Amino acid sequence: LTVDGNILASGTVTGSSDRNRKETFKSVDPQEILDKVVSMEIQRWNYIGEETPHLGPVAQDFHNAFEVGMDDKHISMVDADGVALAAIQGLNHKLEQENDELRQRVARLERLLQARWGGALQ
């Protein structure tokens, strides 16, 4: 099905994601995906001849960064979703690491203060 224009659906558009329909699985580095998302230009834009505003990257940048999809003129929803989910994982991991480091620093400071002033801190 090739459509030049909008497709409107009253409901959802559902693509197959069954493991049994996929092959050649390879792990990705969520931090690497996050870094690429962070550096990618995201803009507001509209299609030529339409007034409906959109938000996102251009297909050329997306394809260059992630090397997914049929070509550098289109962004598949499944690829955009996968990139977003991997970037969320990368961000979550980054925040967990930073929180762990901050907890360790606070614990060291509390031990130093406790050693210096003892029970006077409570």
Side-chain angles (χ1 to χ4, degrees):
L1 174 65
T2 301
V3 177
D4 187 10
N6 295 316
I7 298 173
L8 302 175
S10 179
T12 62
V13 176
T14 305
S16 176
S17 192
D18 182 356
R19 178 181 301 278
N20 298 307
R21 302 223 359 125
K22 299 176 180 184
E23 62 183 2
T24 326
F25 291 91
K26 296 177 185 171
S27 295
V28 298
D29 178 355
Q31 186 60 53
E32 181 182 335
I33 301 292
L34 175 61
D35 292 343
K36 289 179 180 182
V37 168
V38 168
S39 67
M40 184 172 295
E41 187 171 20
I42 307 294
Q43 299 176 303
R44 294 183 67 86
W45 50 269
N46 59 279
Y47 288 108
I48 295 171
E50 291 185 12
E51 294 183 20
T52 304
H54 298 281
L55 179 74
V58 296
Q60 290 82 356
D61 294 345
F62 193 87
H63 189 267
N64 185 50
F66 304 110
E67 299 176 344
V68 295
M70 61 191 281
D71 58 31
D72 69 347
K73 304 288 187 275
H74 303 88
I75 299 175
S76 168
M77 289 182 287
V78 71
D79 293 326
D81 293 348
V83 165
L85 291 169
I88 290 168
Q89 286 181 343
L91 181 59
N92 183 64
H93 181 72
K94 182 177 181 176
L95 291 175
E96 285 177 352
Q97 282 183 317
E98 289 177 0
N99 283 338
D100 287 345
E101 291 170 10
L102 288 172
R103 283 187 198 98
Q104 291 172 14
R105 290 180 66 191
V106 167
R108 281 194 304 271
L109 285 171
E110 287 175 343
R111 284 192 300 275
L112 286 170
L113 290 172
Q114 186 66 30
R116 170 80 175 166
W117 285 288
L121 291 174
Q122 300 181 21

